[in-house]
């Protein structure tokens, strides 16, 4: 049996064709309100791409990474650069439900960490809905530490990178 080809690349919310592709993927992934809430707690169901972009992607200091299996997008993760704090913030990690528990989220996060290191940034932050036990376990296993709660009650996590 042929091994699936896994590839990771960047995509943008500023190109019409990329937006079309992202809308198709995200609309398919967010058919369940719980999945949308775990990925983006400030979004309301049903998923709306224009609202998604207006809330999280109107600034140009973001980079979005996708993971593909045999040229089919199965995962998404975004990075927001916090220039003044010399840190980066990970958000909107989602893996297609048919591809969970295959190490794809770890691959996306590792790829993001390498991009962040190359930008000479050594601190990564992220927020997790406290009920999202799978995400909390994943980030803990990758060296992210719990830094308490943010103003919305989400778990704040942080990792310091060694360049």
């Amino acid at each position: 049996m042929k091994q699936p080809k896994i590839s990771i690349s960047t995509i943008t919310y500023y190109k019409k064709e990329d937006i079309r592709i992202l809308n198709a993927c995200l609309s398919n992934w967010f058919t369940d309100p719980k999945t949308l809430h775990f990925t983006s707690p400030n979004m309301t169901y049903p998923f709306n791409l224009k609202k998604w972009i207006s809330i999280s992607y109107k600034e140009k200091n973001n980079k979005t990474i996708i993971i593909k299996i045999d040229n089919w997008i199965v995962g998404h993760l975004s990075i927001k650069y916090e220039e003044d704090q010399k840190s980066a913030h990970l958000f909107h990690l989602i893996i297609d439900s048919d591809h969970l528990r295959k190490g794809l989220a770890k691959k996306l996060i590792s790829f993001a960490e390498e991009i962040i290191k190359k930008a000479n940034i050594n601190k990564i932050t992220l927020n997790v809905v406290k009920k999202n036990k799978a995400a909390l376990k994943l980030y803990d296993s990758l060296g992210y530490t719990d830094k308490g709660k943010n103003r919305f009650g989400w778990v704040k996590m942080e990792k310091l990178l060694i360049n």
Side-chain angles (χ1 to χ4, degrees), residues 13-31:
Y13 280 92
Y14 311 111
K15 290 182 188 166
K16 211 176 244 185
E17 181 61 9
D18 287 355
I19 290 172
R20 186 189 65 76
I21 293 165
L22 286 164
N23 188 39
C25 293
L26 296 167
S27 295
N28 184 45
W29 295 338
F30 295 133
T31 55

Side-chain angles (χ1 to χ4, degrees), residues 35-93:
T35 303
L36 179 59
H37 177 72
F38 276 2
T39 306
S40 185
N42 49 359
M43 284 288 294
T44 54
Y45 187 82
F47 176 75
N48 178 295
L49 185 71
K50 285 184 179 173
K51 183 175 180 186
W52 173 268
I53 292 171
S54 74
I55 290 173
S56 302
Y57 295 96
K58 56 186 173 217
E59 298 170 19
K60 300 272 189 202
N61 60 341
N62 294 327
K63 183 172 289 229
T64 299
I65 305 162
I66 54 170
I67 190 164
K68 296 179 181 179
I69 296 179
D70 296 330
N71 291 321
W72 193 258
I73 298 172
V74 295
H76 173 286
L77 174 65
S78 292
I79 305 166
K80 179 179 181 182
Y81 294 97
E82 308 283 351
E83 302 295 336
D84 55 332
Q85 299 174 6
K86 282 299 239 179
S87 69
H89 184 78
L90 299 182
F91 66 105
H92 291 164
L93 171 62

